Amino acid sequence: MASLTPNFISRLFRPFTTSTKMGLGSESGGAAVAVPDTAQKCTVAAGCFWGVEHLFRKNFGDKGLYDARVGYIGGDTANPGYRAVCTGRTGHAEALQMSFDPTRLSYATLLEFFYRMHDPTTKDRQGADTGTQYRSAIFHHSPEQEREARAVTDKAQAQWWKGKPITTEILEAGTWWDAEAYHQLYLDKNPGGYECPAHYVRGFPPLG
């Protein structure tokens, strides 16, 4: 069970305030958008999903990313809620599921960014957020994605995270549960809201 740190307490109660302010690129208001049949999915977990979503949208919103939804995956219970997931008892990870245009944006590019924007070497933790719900993970949607995930992970370990073993899990994607509406586009709706300090884009050179 995650320890009840001040950050945990802040995160548990802050989302229940209301806000009508929308950020740029938030025309859908956090509702799922229609994507073409040719779209592919990329599902990752990298700690608090508010900052993960914000960084991916900021960097890829105009580069082939159709949509990005925060939610829960990898657990043992149906239809989990935020409060339950925050206890660490459901087994779910806070995660981001993206739909993207593979003719404009590659799966490998998204995974490389994933390894830049969080610390994959801290097991079940990002910054002060501790618990299995904050684990680092890639949930693949096909054998091809699994092979690519393992290849990118091996490169990131050898070239970016030398001497610090990557703890990222690489697992088949199971049932996805969208998080509650107030979590979608959370940092667009709540500027100045909580952002995990481990979430920033590292200036690593391109993977070779």
Side-chain angles (χ1 to χ4, degrees):
M1 178 176 177
S3 60
L4 296 180
T5 64
N7 279 336
F8 173 82
I9 296 296
S10 174
R11 290 195 60 215
L12 189 60
F13 290 101
R14 182 182 292 166
F16 294 92
T17 61
T18 59
S19 171
T20 57
K21 181 177 178 62
M22 303 304 295
L24 293 176
S26 305
E27 294 84 355
S28 67
V33 301
V35 299
D37 292 340
T38 55
Q40 293 185 12
K41 291 180 181 178
C42 175
T43 304
V44 296
C48 174
F49 50 21
W50 297 337
V52 180
E53 177 198 38
H54 192 67
L55 282 174
F56 272 95
R57 283 186 179 274
K58 179 179 178 180
N59 282 270
F60 299 107
D62 60 351
K63 298 175 183 175
L65 185 67
Y66 290 125
D67 196 17
R69 308 285 299 167
V70 297
Y72 316 114
I73 193 171
D76 305 317
T77 60
N79 198 27
Y82 180 68
R83 288 181 182 242
V85 171
C86 276
T87 69
R89 295 171 180 167
T90 71
H92 292 88
E94 290 193 17
L96 180 70
Q97 186 164 95
M98 295 168 276
S99 299
F100 66 97
D101 179 353
T103 68
R104 297 182 58 204
L105 179 61
S106 72
Y107 184 64
T109 295
L110 290 170
L111 294 187
E112 288 179 21
F113 185 78
F114 165 78
Y115 279 120
R116 285 180 184 273
M117 58 70 56
H118 83 299
D119 185 347
T121 71
T122 53
K123 183 173 176 60
D124 298 336
R125 178 170 64 83
Q126 289 296 304
D129 297 330
T130 304
T132 57
Q133 69 271 29
Y134 302 120
R135 64 189 180 271
S136 175
I138 299 168
F139 298 91
H140 57 83
H141 295 271
S142 69
E144 292 76 18
Q145 282 196 350
E146 180 182 9
R147 286 192 291 271
E148 200 150 14
R150 295 191 184 282
V152 171
T153 300
D154 288 346
K155 289 182 179 180
Q157 178 70 82
Q159 299 175 40
W160 289 350
W161 297 97
K162 304 175 211 178
K164 297 175 70 177
I166 286 176
T167 65
T168 302
E169 299 175 351
I170 300 175
L171 304 166
E172 184 176 2
T175 303
W176 171 265
W177 303 94
D178 262 5
E180 297 84 342
Y182 52 80
H183 291 300
Q184 310 300 333
L185 295 164
Y186 183 77
L187 290 174
D188 286 319
K189 300 173 188 175
N190 299 276
Y194 174 76
E195 293 187 68
C196 176
H199 289 163
Y200 63 91
V201 182
R202 286 130 179 105
F204 294 138
L207 287 176

